[in-house]
Amino acid sequence: MGKRDDLIAKYADDLKNKCGMTPDMDLLTKVTIGCGPAIYNDDASTVAGSQESELETVKENFLMKKLGLADSPALMDAINSVIETYGRSERNKYRAVVYYMLVKHFGKESVYG
């Protein structure tokens, strides 16, 4: 197994144990690949759930650009809901896991079809 496979296994573990979800491994793999080289960078691989600017970036670059959603308060509500599910006190909120949960929340699996 390569480094990416190890990370995907770690993300799946987080989804199961911290978020109470059974991950769709095919979708999780595609979302992880979609994150690009960011997954290998300690800072870029995580989402700072308490930083407003970081959450804005997730909204603009992922929800609006990648998933094609229109800007609305529902986007930030969904991000906050995902952060709550992951656990606000959880230090490492992996970007791929947050993105995966947002894809599921909005039913946008087709983007990764």
Side-chain angles (χ1 to χ4, degrees):
M1 281 193 0
K3 189 168 183 185
R4 185 172 71 204
D5 293 330
D6 294 343
L7 288 169
I8 291 169
K10 185 178 3 177
Y11 302 154
D13 185 65
D14 267 19
L15 282 163
K16 280 185 207 133
N17 299 317
K18 295 177 182 168
C19 305
M21 306 172 111
T22 303
D24 169 342
M25 292 308 291
D26 187 46
L27 179 63
L28 180 58
T29 300
K30 289 175 180 170
V31 170
T32 302
I33 291 168
C35 289
I39 61 171
Y40 304 110
N41 176 306
D42 284 346
D43 186 47
S45 68
T46 57
V47 172
S50 59
Q51 281 185 357
E52 203 56 47
S53 62
E54 174 82 355
L55 301 182
E56 274 298 320
T57 301
V58 170
K59 181 178 92 170
E60 290 172 16
N61 293 348
F62 185 68
L63 294 179
M64 292 165 65
K65 287 183 185 166
K66 178 74 179 172
L67 299 187
L69 298 168
D71 192 6
S72 76
L75 301 187
M76 202 49 86
D77 290 347
I79 292 169
N80 283 311
S81 165
V82 161
I83 299 291
E84 282 302 322
T85 301
Y86 211 141
R88 286 230 176 250
S89 61
E90 179 57 43
R91 190 161 147 34
N92 290 323
K93 289 184 262 308
Y94 292 107
R95 187 170 302 279
V97 174
V98 170
Y99 285 9
Y100 172 88
M101 287 195 282
L102 287 167
V103 168
K104 286 297 220 185
H105 176 88
F106 287 107
K108 289 296 219 170
E109 292 87 347
S110 62
V111 171
Y112 291 95

